[in-house]
Amino acid sequence: MRHGFILEDVPESQDWLSQALVESFPGITIAVADSLQEARQRLSAMPLPDIALIDLGLPDGSGIEIIDLIQQRSSQTLCIVASIYDDDGHVFPALRAGARGYLLKDQPVDSIVVALRGIAIGEPPLSPAIARRMLAY
């Protein structure tokens, strides 16, 4: 993983998601956007990231739009949702758009790091509550 992308509108969440990426993938470069508009601009001006952590609830819409945009341009990018929402109305549309992981922001950064490191060995980055929801579905 050389390039990361974070779409998150809360500065504190941007910081801990950046920390999680750096701890998970030493040497990764990270671009950050805090709105859909900024995300579209940044993504059009840079190589597509290897991994993208995407919030769903943004001031100008849903991060699902960016997941869809990235997946249309490159199915190689790992799009992972980082959200407070754990309901079917958020989880399943994100997965249908191409998200390959779903992490809840209520976890400590160490748990996020473990989930992200699991990517290297083929484990899907899912919060336990999301995995249970998917199995129940």
Side-chain angles (χ1 to χ4, degrees):
M1 301 273 166
R2 296 180 319 202
H3 302 290
F5 181 75
I6 295 172
L7 174 54
E8 169 61 58
D9 61 320
V10 178
E12 295 81 14
S13 294
Q14 287 176 359
D15 292 344
W16 73 261
L17 289 171
S18 294
Q19 178 188 348
L21 278 178
V22 168
E23 286 184 33
S24 300
F25 309 107
I28 194 169
T29 60
I30 301 169
V32 178
D34 63 9
S35 67
L36 294 178
Q37 180 180 358
E38 185 180 6
R40 283 188 208 98
Q41 290 170 345
R42 287 193 180 269
L43 289 168
S44 68
M46 62 182 265
L48 282 176
D50 299 299
I51 187 168
L53 301 181
I54 299 171
D55 186 18
L56 297 180
L58 298 160
D60 56 347
S62 171
I64 290 174
E65 291 180 37
I66 298 302
I67 295 170
D68 190 49
L69 174 81
I70 290 172
Q71 292 303 296
Q72 286 178 25
R73 291 180 53 202
S74 168
S75 62
Q76 300 303 311
T77 298
L78 290 172
C79 290
I80 299 167
V81 172
S83 181
I84 59 169
Y85 302 112
D86 66 352
D87 58 282
D88 292 355
H90 287 90
V91 173
F92 294 107
L95 296 174
R96 280 193 292 275
R100 290 195 263 169
Y102 201 108
L103 301 171
L104 294 175
K105 292 182 192 175
D106 64 357
Q107 300 178 99
V109 72
D110 294 345
S111 296
I112 301 293
V113 168
V114 168
L116 293 175
R117 285 183 180 161
I119 292 169
I121 57 173
E123 294 177 1
L126 297 170
S127 292
I130 298 302
R132 284 190 295 277
R133 181 169 294 286
M134 291 176 65
L135 288 171
Y137 183 78

